[in-house]
mmCIF file of all heavy atoms in Angstrom:
data_model
loop_
_atom_site.group_PDB
_atom_site.id
_atom_site.type_symbol
_atom_site.label_atom_id
_atom_site.label_comp_id
_atom_site.label_asym_id
_atom_site.label_seq_id
_atom_site.Cartn_x
_atom_site.Cartn_y
_atom_site.Cartn_z
ATOM 1 N N VAL A 1 -3.354 7.217 3.267
ATOM 2 C CA VAL A 1 -2.562 6.713 4.354
ATOM 3 C C VAL A 1 -2.954 5.284 4.572
ATOM 4 O O VAL A 1 -4.055 4.939 4.933
ATOM 5 C CB VAL A 1 -2.783 7.511 5.648
ATOM 6 C CG1 VAL A 1 -1.924 6.930 6.757
ATOM 7 C CG2 VAL A 1 -2.374 9.010 5.435
ATOM 8 N N TYR A 2 -1.991 4.374 4.311
ATOM 9 C CA TYR A 2 -2.177 2.945 4.442
ATOM 10 C C TYR A 2 -1.709 2.518 5.845
ATOM 11 O O TYR A 2 -0.545 2.488 6.124
ATOM 12 C CB TYR A 2 -1.382 2.193 3.356
ATOM 13 C CG TYR A 2 -1.586 0.720 3.340
ATOM 14 C CD1 TYR A 2 -2.685 0.073 3.871
ATOM 15 C CD2 TYR A 2 -0.597 -0.067 2.695
ATOM 16 C CE1 TYR A 2 -2.809 -1.262 3.810
ATOM 17 C CE2 TYR A 2 -0.728 -1.443 2.619
ATOM 18 C CZ TYR A 2 -1.842 -2.063 3.174
ATOM 19 O OH TYR A 2 -1.992 -3.432 3.138
ATOM 20 N N CYS A 3 -2.671 2.208 6.717
ATOM 21 C CA CYS A 3 -2.394 1.899 8.136
ATOM 22 C C CYS A 3 -2.366 0.374 8.228
ATOM 23 O O CYS A 3 -3.376 -0.299 8.368
ATOM 24 C CB CYS A 3 -3.494 2.463 9.050
ATOM 25 S SG CYS A 3 -3.719 4.266 8.879
ATOM 26 N N MET A 4 -1.177 -0.192 8.222
ATOM 27 C CA MET A 4 -0.990 -1.652 8.090
ATOM 28 C C MET A 4 -1.046 -2.335 9.433
ATOM 29 O O MET A 4 -0.584 -1.820 10.431
ATOM 30 C CB MET A 4 0.350 -1.935 7.398
ATOM 31 C CG MET A 4 0.427 -1.535 5.984
ATOM 32 S SD MET A 4 2.027 -2.079 5.219
ATOM 33 C CE MET A 4 1.837 -3.848 5.212
ATOM 34 N N ASN A 5 -1.661 -3.544 9.423
ATOM 35 C CA ASN A 5 -1.694 -4.443 10.617
ATOM 36 C C ASN A 5 -2.138 -5.779 10.166
ATOM 37 O O ASN A 5 -3.315 -6.018 9.856
ATOM 38 C CB ASN A 5 -2.607 -3.882 11.649
ATOM 39 C CG ASN A 5 -2.615 -4.734 12.899
ATOM 40 O OD1 ASN A 5 -1.574 -5.212 13.353
ATOM 41 N ND2 ASN A 5 -3.778 -4.953 13.488
ATOM 42 N N ASN A 6 -1.187 -6.700 10.076
ATOM 43 C CA ASN A 6 -1.518 -8.088 9.633
ATOM 44 C C ASN A 6 -2.262 -8.102 8.320
ATOM 45 O O ASN A 6 -3.242 -8.814 8.152
ATOM 46 C CB ASN A 6 -2.350 -8.812 10.717
ATOM 47 C CG ASN A 6 -1.592 -8.958 12.035
ATOM 48 O OD1 ASN A 6 -0.395 -9.219 12.036
ATOM 49 N ND2 ASN A 6 -2.307 -8.816 13.156
ATOM 50 N N GLU A 7 -1.753 -7.355 7.346
ATOM 51 C CA GLU A 7 -2.403 -7.289 6.037
ATOM 52 C C GLU A 7 -2.103 -8.550 5.245
ATOM 53 O O GLU A 7 -1.012 -9.126 5.320
ATOM 54 C CB GLU A 7 -1.886 -6.057 5.259
ATOM 55 C CG GLU A 7 -2.004 -4.770 6.014
ATOM 56 C CD GLU A 7 -3.424 -4.254 6.140
ATOM 57 O OE1 GLU A 7 -4.262 -4.692 5.321
ATOM 58 O OE2 GLU A 7 -3.664 -3.444 7.017
ATOM 59 N N THR A 8 -3.056 -8.966 4.422
ATOM 60 C CA THR A 8 -2.815 -10.097 3.516
ATOM 61 C C THR A 8 -2.078 -9.578 2.276
ATOM 62 O O THR A 8 -2.115 -8.392 1.945
ATOM 63 C CB THR A 8 -4.166 -10.720 3.060
ATOM 64 O OG1 THR A 8 -4.864 -9.769 2.264
ATOM 65 C CG2 THR A 8 -4.996 -11.115 4.261
ATOM 66 N N ARG A 9 -1.409 -10.503 1.618
ATOM 67 C CA ARG A 9 -0.698 -10.128 0.404
ATOM 68 C C ARG A 9 -1.677 -9.681 -0.700
ATOM 69 O O ARG A 9 -1.348 -8.829 -1.513
ATOM 70 C CB ARG A 9 0.176 -11.258 -0.104
ATOM 71 C CG ARG A 9 1.403 -11.528 0.788
ATOM 72 C CD ARG A 9 2.264 -12.664 0.228
ATOM 73 N NE ARG A 9 2.890 -12.255 -1.018
ATOM 74 C CZ ARG A 9 4.042 -11.571 -1.068
ATOM 75 N NH1 ARG A 9 4.675 -11.208 0.055
ATOM 76 N NH2 ARG A 9 4.598 -11.274 -2.238
ATOM 77 N N ASP A 10 -2.913 -10.225 -0.668
ATOM 78 C CA ASP A 10 -3.901 -9.827 -1.621
ATOM 79 C C ASP A 10 -4.258 -8.354 -1.486
ATOM 80 O O ASP A 10 -4.387 -7.580 -2.455
ATOM 81 C CB ASP A 10 -5.187 -10.652 -1.498
ATOM 82 C CG ASP A 10 -5.003 -12.071 -2.055
ATOM 83 O OD1 ASP A 10 -4.073 -12.296 -2.806
ATOM 84 O OD2 ASP A 10 -5.871 -12.913 -1.748
ATOM 85 N N THR A 11 -4.438 -7.907 -0.212
ATOM 86 C CA THR A 11 -4.759 -6.532 0.037
ATOM 87 C C THR A 11 -3.590 -5.640 -0.411
ATOM 88 O O THR A 11 -3.847 -4.571 -1.062
ATOM 89 C CB THR A 11 -5.029 -6.300 1.536
ATOM 90 O OG1 THR A 11 -6.163 -7.044 1.917
ATOM 91 C CG2 THR A 11 -5.320 -4.809 1.835
ATOM 92 N N MET A 12 -2.383 -6.012 -0.090
ATOM 93 C CA MET A 12 -1.236 -5.212 -0.507
ATOM 94 C C MET A 12 -1.138 -5.149 -1.999
ATOM 95 O O MET A 12 -0.878 -4.041 -2.566
ATOM 96 C CB MET A 12 0.081 -5.781 0.095
ATOM 97 C CG MET A 12 0.164 -5.588 1.600
ATOM 98 S SD MET A 12 1.801 -6.064 2.296
ATOM 99 C CE MET A 12 1.606 -7.846 2.372
ATOM 100 N N SER A 13 -1.414 -6.268 -2.689
ATOM 101 C CA SER A 13 -1.355 -6.285 -4.145
ATOM 102 C C SER A 13 -2.410 -5.362 -4.769
ATOM 103 O O SER A 13 -2.211 -4.698 -5.774
ATOM 104 C CB SER A 13 -1.561 -7.714 -4.684
ATOM 105 O OG SER A 13 -0.480 -8.566 -4.262
ATOM 106 N N GLN A 14 -3.590 -5.333 -4.128
ATOM 107 C CA GLN A 14 -4.663 -4.472 -4.633
ATOM 108 C C GLN A 14 -4.231 -3.009 -4.553
ATOM 109 O O GLN A 14 -4.468 -2.268 -5.499
ATOM 110 C CB GLN A 14 -5.925 -4.665 -3.803
ATOM 111 C CG GLN A 14 -6.623 -5.986 -4.059
ATOM 112 C CD GLN A 14 -7.947 -6.081 -3.316
ATOM 113 O OE1 GLN A 14 -8.945 -5.544 -3.739
ATOM 114 N NE2 GLN A 14 -7.951 -6.751 -2.196
ATOM 115 N N LEU A 15 -3.618 -2.631 -3.451
ATOM 116 C CA LEU A 15 -3.175 -1.229 -3.312
ATOM 117 C C LEU A 15 -2.079 -0.894 -4.273
ATOM 118 O O LEU A 15 -2.025 0.195 -4.798
ATOM 119 C CB LEU A 15 -2.753 -0.967 -1.865
ATOM 120 C CG LEU A 15 -3.938 -0.706 -0.930
ATOM 121 C CD1 LEU A 15 -3.508 -0.894 0.545
ATOM 122 C CD2 LEU A 15 -4.486 0.657 -1.169
ATOM 123 N N ILE A 16 -1.185 -1.881 -4.551
ATOM 124 C CA ILE A 16 -0.155 -1.640 -5.545
ATOM 125 C C ILE A 16 -0.747 -1.406 -6.925
ATOM 126 O O ILE A 16 -0.379 -0.542 -7.679
ATOM 127 C CB ILE A 16 0.825 -2.835 -5.560
ATOM 128 C CG1 ILE A 16 1.641 -2.851 -4.239
ATOM 129 C CG2 ILE A 16 1.749 -2.759 -6.753
ATOM 130 C CD1 ILE A 16 2.407 -4.155 -4.051
ATOM 131 N N THR A 17 -1.799 -2.214 -7.237
ATOM 132 C CA THR A 17 -2.506 -2.028 -8.505
ATOM 133 C C THR A 17 -3.135 -0.646 -8.617
ATOM 134 O O THR A 17 -2.997 0.028 -9.622
ATOM 135 C CB THR A 17 -3.632 -3.087 -8.641
ATOM 136 O OG1 THR A 17 -3.091 -4.380 -8.477
ATOM 137 C CG2 THR A 17 -4.310 -2.976 -9.998
ATOM 138 N N ILE A 18 -3.790 -0.224 -7.550
ATOM 139 C CA ILE A 18 -4.402 1.089 -7.515
ATOM 140 C C ILE A 18 -3.354 2.186 -7.700
ATOM 141 O O ILE A 18 -3.558 3.112 -8.458
ATOM 142 C CB ILE A 18 -5.198 1.319 -6.209
ATOM 143 C CG1 ILE A 18 -6.410 0.329 -6.178
ATOM 144 C CG2 ILE A 18 -5.654 2.760 -6.038
ATOM 145 C CD1 ILE A 18 -7.080 0.249 -4.862
ATOM 146 N N LYS A 19 -2.275 2.025 -6.980
ATOM 147 C CA LYS A 19 -1.194 3.026 -7.017
ATOM 148 C C LYS A 19 -0.694 3.247 -8.463
ATOM 149 O O LYS A 19 -0.462 4.356 -8.933
ATOM 150 C CB LYS A 19 -0.055 2.588 -6.094
ATOM 151 C CG LYS A 19 1.206 3.410 -6.300
ATOM 152 C CD LYS A 19 1.193 4.725 -5.533
ATOM 153 C CE LYS A 19 2.575 5.397 -5.548
ATOM 154 N NZ LYS A 19 2.582 6.624 -4.775
ATOM 155 N N HIS A 20 -0.506 2.094 -9.168
ATOM 156 C CA HIS A 20 0.154 2.173 -10.454
ATOM 157 C C HIS A 20 -0.733 2.237 -11.705
ATOM 158 O O HIS A 20 -0.330 2.676 -12.765
ATOM 159 C CB HIS A 20 1.105 0.969 -10.647
ATOM 160 C CG HIS A 20 2.268 1.006 -9.702
ATOM 161 N ND1 HIS A 20 3.209 1.986 -9.759
ATOM 162 C CD2 HIS A 20 2.682 0.176 -8.734
ATOM 163 C CE1 HIS A 20 4.155 1.788 -8.847
ATOM 164 N NE2 HIS A 20 3.803 0.646 -8.206
ATOM 165 N N THR A 21 -2.021 1.805 -11.538
ATOM 166 C CA THR A 21 -2.861 1.766 -12.738
ATOM 167 C C THR A 21 -4.215 2.455 -12.606
ATOM 168 O O THR A 21 -4.847 2.684 -13.638
ATOM 169 C CB THR A 21 -3.137 0.284 -13.125
ATOM 170 O OG1 THR A 21 -3.923 -0.317 -12.100
ATOM 171 C CG2 THR A 21 -1.838 -0.466 -13.215
ATOM 172 N N LYS A 22 -4.661 2.773 -11.407
ATOM 173 C CA LYS A 22 -6.072 3.251 -11.267
ATOM 174 C C LYS A 22 -6.166 4.728 -10.881
ATOM 175 O O LYS A 22 -7.302 5.228 -10.786
ATOM 176 C CB LYS A 22 -6.741 2.437 -10.148
ATOM 177 C CG LYS A 22 -6.888 0.943 -10.520
ATOM 178 C CD LYS A 22 -7.778 0.772 -11.753
ATOM 179 C CE LYS A 22 -8.027 -0.684 -12.047
ATOM 180 N NZ LYS A 22 -8.820 -0.908 -13.231
ATOM 181 N N LEU A 23 -5.073 5.429 -10.683
ATOM 182 C CA LEU A 23 -5.171 6.823 -10.269
ATOM 183 C C LEU A 23 -5.292 7.758 -11.466
ATOM 184 O O LEU A 23 -4.510 7.649 -12.392
ATOM 185 C CB LEU A 23 -3.909 7.201 -9.453
ATOM 186 C CG LEU A 23 -3.740 6.433 -8.129
ATOM 187 C CD1 LEU A 23 -2.550 7.021 -7.381
ATOM 188 C CD2 LEU A 23 -4.975 6.553 -7.259
ATOM 189 N N GLU A 24 -6.249 8.656 -11.395
ATOM 190 C CA GLU A 24 -6.380 9.666 -12.437
ATOM 191 C C GLU A 24 -5.319 10.746 -12.280
ATOM 192 O O GLU A 24 -4.976 11.462 -13.198
ATOM 193 C CB GLU A 24 -7.779 10.252 -12.398
ATOM 194 C CG GLU A 24 -8.886 9.228 -12.713
ATOM 195 C CD GLU A 24 -10.297 9.809 -12.606
ATOM 196 O OE1 GLU A 24 -10.386 11.009 -12.340
ATOM 197 O OE2 GLU A 24 -11.248 9.041 -12.820
ATOM 198 N N ARG A 25 -4.843 10.929 -11.070
ATOM 199 C CA ARG A 25 -3.778 11.873 -10.815
ATOM 200 C C ARG A 25 -2.886 11.232 -9.696
ATOM 201 O O ARG A 25 -3.349 10.362 -8.981
ATOM 202 C CB ARG A 25 -4.311 13.206 -10.285
ATOM 203 C CG ARG A 25 -5.205 13.123 -9.066
ATOM 204 C CD ARG A 25 -5.800 14.448 -8.694
ATOM 205 N NE ARG A 25 -6.792 14.319 -7.699
ATOM 206 C CZ ARG A 25 -6.499 14.224 -6.381
ATOM 207 N NH1 ARG A 25 -5.262 14.289 -5.976
ATOM 208 N NH2 ARG A 25 -7.464 14.181 -5.482
ATOM 209 N N LYS A 26 -1.700 11.702 -9.589
ATOM 210 C CA LYS A 26 -0.755 11.079 -8.624
ATOM 211 C C LYS A 26 -1.202 11.542 -7.220
ATOM 212 O O LYS A 26 -1.265 12.719 -6.897
ATOM 213 C CB LYS A 26 0.662 11.505 -8.892
ATOM 214 C CG LYS A 26 1.640 10.890 -7.896
ATOM 215 C CD LYS A 26 3.059 11.107 -8.331
ATOM 216 C CE LYS A 26 4.048 10.728 -7.197
ATOM 217 N NZ LYS A 26 3.901 9.312 -6.848
ATOM 218 N N THR A 27 -1.460 10.584 -6.392
ATOM 219 C CA THR A 27 -1.746 10.820 -4.950
ATOM 220 C C THR A 27 -0.658 10.246 -4.144
ATOM 221 O O THR A 27 -0.373 9.022 -4.261
ATOM 222 C CB THR A 27 -3.114 10.176 -4.569
ATOM 223 O OG1 THR A 27 -4.142 10.664 -5.421
ATOM 224 C CG2 THR A 27 -3.416 10.431 -3.145
ATOM 225 N N PRO A 28 -0.008 11.006 -3.289
ATOM 226 C CA PRO A 28 1.056 10.446 -2.456
ATOM 227 C C PRO A 28 0.495 9.393 -1.497
ATOM 228 O O PRO A 28 -0.593 9.535 -0.934
ATOM 229 C CB PRO A 28 1.542 11.675 -1.623
ATOM 230 C CG PRO A 28 1.156 12.875 -2.449
ATOM 231 C CD PRO A 28 -0.125 12.472 -3.142
ATOM 232 N N PHE A 29 1.249 8.282 -1.345
ATOM 233 C CA PHE A 29 0.875 7.199 -0.494
ATOM 234 C C PHE A 29 1.786 7.181 0.708
ATOM 235 O O PHE A 29 3.014 7.074 0.561
ATOM 236 C CB PHE A 29 0.969 5.848 -1.194
ATOM 237 C CG PHE A 29 -0.237 5.474 -2.012
ATOM 238 C CD1 PHE A 29 -0.926 6.396 -2.792
ATOM 239 C CD2 PHE A 29 -0.716 4.183 -2.074
ATOM 240 C CE1 PHE A 29 -2.014 6.090 -3.566
ATOM 241 C CE2 PHE A 29 -1.820 3.823 -2.837
ATOM 242 C CZ PHE A 29 -2.482 4.804 -3.555
ATOM 243 N N PHE A 30 1.190 7.333 1.888
ATOM 244 C CA PHE A 30 1.960 7.182 3.155
ATOM 245 C C PHE A 30 1.670 5.796 3.723
ATOM 246 O O PHE A 30 0.503 5.341 3.645
ATOM 247 C CB PHE A 30 1.525 8.250 4.194
ATOM 248 C CG PHE A 30 2.081 9.615 3.912
ATOM 249 C CD1 PHE A 30 1.974 10.296 2.720
ATOM 250 C CD2 PHE A 30 2.790 10.276 4.946
ATOM 251 C CE1 PHE A 30 2.493 11.537 2.505
ATOM 252 C CE2 PHE A 30 3.313 11.520 4.745
ATOM 253 C CZ PHE A 30 3.161 12.162 3.524
ATOM 254 N N VAL A 31 2.651 5.187 4.281
ATOM 255 C CA VAL A 31 2.483 3.897 4.948
ATOM 256 C C VAL A 31 2.802 3.989 6.454
ATOM 257 O O VAL A 31 3.896 4.459 6.765
ATOM 258 C CB VAL A 31 3.379 2.783 4.299
ATOM 259 C CG1 VAL A 31 3.278 1.492 5.099
ATOM 260 C CG2 VAL A 31 2.961 2.553 2.843
ATOM 261 N N VAL A 32 1.837 3.625 7.275
ATOM 262 C CA VAL A 32 2.110 3.603 8.746
ATOM 263 C C VAL A 32 2.197 2.150 9.090
ATOM 264 O O VAL A 32 1.189 1.390 9.032
ATOM 265 C CB VAL A 32 0.926 4.293 9.486
ATOM 266 C CG1 VAL A 32 1.169 4.234 10.963
ATOM 267 C CG2 VAL A 32 0.759 5.725 9.013
ATOM 268 N N ALA A 33 3.393 1.694 9.527
ATOM 269 C CA ALA A 33 3.575 0.256 9.759
ATOM 270 C C ALA A 33 4.891 0.036 10.548
ATOM 271 O O ALA A 33 5.631 0.974 10.791
ATOM 272 C CB ALA A 33 3.680 -0.466 8.416
ATOM 273 N N THR A 34 5.081 -1.188 10.937
ATOM 274 C CA THR A 34 6.338 -1.546 11.498
ATOM 275 C C THR A 34 7.441 -1.561 10.431
ATOM 276 O O THR A 34 7.136 -1.597 9.211
ATOM 277 C CB THR A 34 6.313 -2.945 12.165
ATOM 278 O OG1 THR A 34 6.054 -3.907 11.151
ATOM 279 C CG2 THR A 34 5.180 -2.994 13.205
ATOM 280 N N GLN A 35 8.686 -1.543 10.814
ATOM 281 C CA GLN A 35 9.741 -1.590 9.815
ATOM 282 C C GLN A 35 9.711 -2.874 9.024
ATOM 283 O O GLN A 35 9.888 -2.874 7.806
ATOM 284 C CB GLN A 35 11.088 -1.484 10.546
ATOM 285 C CG GLN A 35 12.279 -1.373 9.584
ATOM 286 C CD GLN A 35 12.233 -0.102 8.767
ATOM 287 O OE1 GLN A 35 12.318 0.980 9.329
ATOM 288 N NE2 GLN A 35 12.108 -0.228 7.437
ATOM 289 N N ASP A 36 9.366 -4.013 9.674
ATOM 290 C CA ASP A 36 9.274 -5.262 8.984
ATOM 291 C C ASP A 36 8.212 -5.227 7.851
ATOM 292 O O ASP A 36 8.374 -5.732 6.782
ATOM 293 C CB ASP A 36 9.017 -6.431 9.935
ATOM 294 C CG ASP A 36 10.232 -6.747 10.779
ATOM 295 O OD1 ASP A 36 11.338 -6.311 10.449
ATOM 296 O OD2 ASP A 36 10.029 -7.438 11.806
ATOM 297 N N ASP A 37 7.008 -4.640 8.217
ATOM 298 C CA ASP A 37 5.934 -4.569 7.244
ATOM 299 C C ASP A 37 6.302 -3.660 6.082
ATOM 300 O O ASP A 37 5.993 -3.957 4.925
ATOM 301 C CB ASP A 37 4.660 -4.079 7.902
ATOM 302 C CG ASP A 37 3.970 -5.176 8.707
ATOM 303 O OD1 ASP A 37 4.277 -6.349 8.481
ATOM 304 O OD2 ASP A 37 3.138 -4.837 9.566
ATOM 305 N N CYS A 38 6.942 -2.548 6.383
ATOM 306 C CA CYS A 38 7.420 -1.640 5.313
ATOM 307 C C CYS A 38 8.385 -2.361 4.375
ATOM 308 O O CYS A 38 8.313 -2.203 3.160
ATOM 309 C CB CYS A 38 8.053 -0.408 5.931
ATOM 310 S SG CYS A 38 6.911 0.753 6.678
ATOM 311 N N ASP A 39 9.300 -3.166 4.958
ATOM 312 C CA ASP A 39 10.258 -3.862 4.157
ATOM 313 C C ASP A 39 9.571 -4.928 3.275
ATOM 314 O O ASP A 39 9.923 -5.101 2.100
ATOM 315 C CB ASP A 39 11.282 -4.582 5.053
ATOM 316 C CG ASP A 39 12.176 -3.584 5.780
ATOM 317 O OD1 ASP A 39 12.272 -2.406 5.333
ATOM 318 O OD2 ASP A 39 12.809 -3.995 6.775
ATOM 319 N N GLU A 40 8.544 -5.588 3.804
ATOM 320 C CA GLU A 40 7.786 -6.592 3.051
ATOM 321 C C GLU A 40 7.075 -5.923 1.883
ATOM 322 O O GLU A 40 7.059 -6.467 0.783
ATOM 323 C CB GLU A 40 6.817 -7.322 3.979
ATOM 324 C CG GLU A 40 6.004 -8.380 3.287
ATOM 325 C CD GLU A 40 6.809 -9.598 2.801
ATOM 326 O OE1 GLU A 40 7.915 -9.790 3.363
ATOM 327 O OE2 GLU A 40 6.382 -10.282 1.913
ATOM 328 N N LEU A 41 6.419 -4.787 2.157
ATOM 329 C CA LEU A 41 5.727 -4.100 1.094
ATOM 330 C C LEU A 41 6.690 -3.586 0.012
ATOM 331 O O LEU A 41 6.401 -3.654 -1.166
ATOM 332 C CB LEU A 41 4.969 -2.898 1.710
ATOM 333 C CG LEU A 41 4.024 -2.114 0.798
ATOM 334 C CD1 LEU A 41 3.012 -3.046 0.169
ATOM 335 C CD2 LEU A 41 3.349 -0.997 1.619
#
């Protein structure tokens, strides 16, 4: 569960990397954020 609040683009990029390249098995990612932050991500 990614609880967003004024996240930097570097942090978001790191999580994207983990999601797509570092998982040994698929783990669902939930995002808790404002609509604007969800759209940006």
Side-chain angles (χ1 to χ4, degrees):
V1 180
Y2 183 22
C3 305
M4 294 184 67
N5 182 40
N6 297 323
E7 307 288 338
T8 66
R9 291 183 68 85
D10 284 345
T11 298
M12 289 188 281
S13 296
Q14 288 185 81
L15 280 162
I16 291 168
T17 305
I18 292 168
K19 169 79 171 185
H20 290 299
T21 67
K22 296 296 184 182
L23 296 184
E24 297 177 2
R25 57 183 172 83
K26 180 171 171 59
T27 301
F29 277 40
F30 281 56
V31 174
V32 180
T34 64
Q35 186 64 63
D36 288 345
D37 283 341
C38 287
D39 292 342
E40 181 67 22
L41 186 56

